[in-house]
Amino acid sequence: MKLNKEITRRRTFGIISHPDAGKTTLTEKLLLFGGAIQEAGAVKSSKIKKGATSDFMEIERQRGISVATSVLGFEYKEIKINILDTPGHKDFAEDTFRTLTAVDSVIVVIDVAKGVEEQTEKLVEVCRMRKIPMIVFINKLDREGKDAFELLDEIEQKLNLKVTPLSFPIGMGYDFKGIYNIWEKNVNLFTGDPRKDIEETIEIADLENPELDELIGAEAADNLREELELTEGVYPEFNRLDYVNGDLQPVFFGSALNNFGVRELLDCFVDIAPSPLPKMSDVREVKPTEDEFTGFVFKIHANMDPKHRDRLAFVKIVSGKFERNQPYLHVRQGKKLKFSSPNAFFAEKKQIVDEMFPGDIVGLHDTGNFKIGDTLTQGEKLNYRGIPNFSPEHFRYINNADPMKSKQLNKGISQLMDEGVAQLFTLDLNGRKIIGTVGALQYEVIQYRLEHEYGAKCSYENINVHKACWVESEDEKSEEYKEFKRVKSKYLAKDKQNQVVFLADSAFSLQMTQQKYPSIKFHFTSEF
Ligand code: G4P
């Protein structure tokens, strides 16, 4: 019974946005409501500041911050909320994709002036394909921006979503008067005076109530009535099932910086956002309410202190209760492990705990057993799937720049790849190692960390690769497959799981190869 109760009171989600839309500010305000922090400014921005590419100390500093903000847990109205941090910087997009496998819902933050931006499009697409429930928060209403209807249109078209507003702005920028909360049927007035409580909530259940005219002026009141009538005609009525199934996205307006419209968002979120959902494994669907513990690793963070080289593996609990000092099966390695100091995450600290429940993230100290995607169970042999590698965008040979340290280099590369910093491909032809990354920034991170954490030195060399494709053939003994392997031997490599990868040097050669060998499948992700 206790398990059920704990599951229903959990909400595990991520906030996604294009950098600068206000993700950090919103996170901080949500924590303030939960009483998890006492003052604004307590959550440091984990974004990589512009120009940080050559500033290694900055990268380290950011890494430190990103450990601290990886999971922010707090309680609000007896609901246990876990916010999973998703880096906004596009070079770390893959970290964000992986984190999205561990959330049960997301909040999408959009800047009212900039509208839908590139990074938002990419991240929302991933959520849409996985049918993750999404709430949209349009931020910075205290500034001049796009018209509300225009924005809702843009969201529907660019993000391919079906939206319905649950709040509506009254004016904007200089004329911003507040929002009408469609969900709670009240008006929140924006006083704009930071010395006072910025928001005043007044119940206006009936829009025809003349009090509305007094509050915001007759003209604004008439406008609002018209606009709300229009929204009723154009947008579907909110329906929780559609939202939870990923078919309808409610929209809120507000200003995170002014802490305006944030409480409304949070109140609605705890009401409608789903508690932990069942998850598909390679053998069956697992329900959170099952007695036996299962979970999977979605993130690994190396210790910041080079003297203690252990790492922290972040495990999302899918089912059952996780208990300290219990033996759990590491399915890939087929061995049992016990964890004497599992960490739970709170807003500003982590703490050793005895038990945790589905939806929670447990941090496990690891000396090199885990890699991203690994499954832990109470004994059942099942694997959670769905954390594929995507084809990297950049490729370079990695060379050993200090022959005395080749062991350290290999260990370092192997561990950094397990952490998911980049992907390693080994050429069939000559065994040379190629590092593939999503962004150019990772090469500097790898070089810096190899030197500082493993005492190894590396150098890079350019290589012309357009895309990495995972190769699949129904019949590996067929003449066609044999010919492909012979003719293309120069371009074939193995990934870290020993899967065959074709490194196409141009879009044209990829297309030609696909045409020439029709029985072979070329996949752009490692999971197919
Ligand atoms: P991010 O995590 O999505 O990258 O965004 P972040 O919260 O860091 O916000 C980006 C900038 O937008 C910050 O200003 C922040 O103060 C501002 N901002 C956030 N919400 C609002 C809002 O509702 N209204 C207005 N007017 N601004 C908002 P900055 O100058 O880049 O940084 P800072 O020096 O204030 O930290």
Side-chain angles (χ1 to χ4, degrees), residues 89-224:
H89 193 287
K90 71 172 177 12
D91 283 12
F92 294 95
E94 224 173 329
D95 280 354
T96 299
F97 293 144
R98 286 191 286 254
T99 300
L100 290 178
T101 63
V103 301
D104 296 309
S105 70
V106 301
I107 292 180
V108 186
V109 182
I110 290 176
D111 183 321
V112 69
K114 295 193 177 136
V116 173
E117 296 174 87
E118 187 195 341
Q119 217 32 30
T120 325
E121 272 184 72
K122 285 194 186 148
L123 296 171
V124 166
E125 192 183 340
V126 174
C127 297
R128 199 165 35 80
M129 279 160 52
R130 299 215 171 118
K131 298 238 155 222
I132 300 176
M134 286 182 256
I135 297 181
V136 179
F137 181 72
I138 298 182
N139 189 27
K140 307 196 185 180
L141 263 285
D142 56 317
R143 286 197 184 159
E144 290 302 322
K146 301 187 183 186
D147 167 72
F149 286 108
E150 193 189 325
L151 263 174
L152 293 171
D153 267 2
E154 188 177 325
I155 294 169
E156 289 209 316
Q157 271 154 30
K158 281 200 182 161
L159 299 179
N160 208 351
L161 299 179
K162 185 137 199 60
V163 299
T164 190
L166 285 189
S167 78
F168 208 84
I170 308 169
M172 178 194 296
Y174 187 72
D175 285 328
F176 183 52
K177 294 195 169 57
I179 51 174
Y180 182 74
N181 188 334
I182 302 173
W183 178 247
E184 291 175 2
K185 297 214 182 317
N186 54 33
V187 172
N188 301 307
L189 292 182
F190 181 62
T191 64
D193 182 348
R195 285 163 305 177
K196 282 198 267 171
D197 198 359
I198 209 103
E199 136 171 2
E200 205 179 324
T201 305
I202 295 151
E203 298 293 324
I204 303 266
D206 178 8
L207 278 172
E208 297 309 321
N209 188 339
E211 208 187 327
L212 186 65
D213 300 73
E214 280 164 40
L215 286 171
I216 60 176
E219 200 186 322
D222 277 345
N223 269 345
L224 179 67

Side-chain angles (χ1 to χ4, degrees), residues 293-407:
F293 158 76
T294 64
F296 67 95
V297 178
F298 67 95
K299 181 181 181 123
I300 293 177
H301 221 297
N303 199 317
M304 298 298 293
D305 179 357
K307 286 198 252 10
H308 299 97
R309 271 258 289 283
D310 65 338
R311 310 184 290 177
L312 202 58
F314 291 75
V315 174
K316 161 94 185 272
I317 301 175
V318 177
S319 67
K321 183 164 76 170
F322 176 94
E323 285 177 282
R324 184 152 84 107
N325 280 326
Q326 284 298 313
Y328 290 126
L329 177 68
H330 184 307
V331 180
R332 181 174 55 86
Q333 293 190 338
K335 65 178 181 190
K336 294 245 171 159
L337 301 171
K338 273 187 190 176
F339 303 95
S340 58
S341 48
N343 281 290
F345 299 91
F346 301 98
E348 283 170 297
K349 55 183 191 301
K350 51 186 179 19
Q351 195 175 310
I352 294 172
V353 287
D354 289 327
E355 53 177 39
M356 292 175 92
F357 299 93
D360 284 338
I361 309 301
V362 54
L364 301 176
H365 290 282
D366 169 45
T367 45
N369 283 313
F370 287 123
K371 63 185 188 189
I372 285 177
D374 280 347
T375 302
L376 280 177
T377 70
Q378 221 157 302
E380 189 174 351
K381 290 199 181 92
L382 58 80
N383 284 288
Y384 289 110
R385 307 196 76 197
I387 311 195
N389 286 317
F390 295 90
S391 173
E393 304 279 324
H394 303 263
F395 298 85
R396 288 183 200 170
Y397 283 121
I398 184 163
N399 299 322
N400 187 358
D402 181 352
M404 304 293 286
K405 299 283 170 64
S406 63
K407 237 172 112 180

Side-chain angles (χ1 to χ4, degrees), residues 58-83:
E58 177 67 10
I59 291 173
E60 278 297 274
R61 196 182 67 80
Q62 296 291 357
R63 228 159 55 79
I65 292 169
S66 76
V67 186
T69 61
S70 279
V71 182
L72 296 162
F74 65 99
E75 298 225 357
Y76 178 73
K77 294 185 170 174
E78 295 185 10
I79 298 288
K80 168 84 194 294
I81 297 175
N82 295 311
I83 308 183

Side-chain angles (χ1 to χ4, degrees), residues 33-74:
F33 275 111
I37 53 171
Q38 305 315 323
E39 55 185 313
V43 180
K44 300 285 177 303
S45 169
S46 63
K47 61 189 171 178
I48 305 270
K49 297 269 186 253
K50 288 185 198 81
T53 37
S54 53
D55 183 346
F56 303 116
M57 285 325 290
E58 177 67 10
I59 291 173
E60 278 297 274
R61 196 182 67 80
Q62 296 291 357
R63 228 159 55 79
I65 292 169
S66 76
V67 186
T69 61
S70 279
V71 182
L72 296 162
F74 65 99

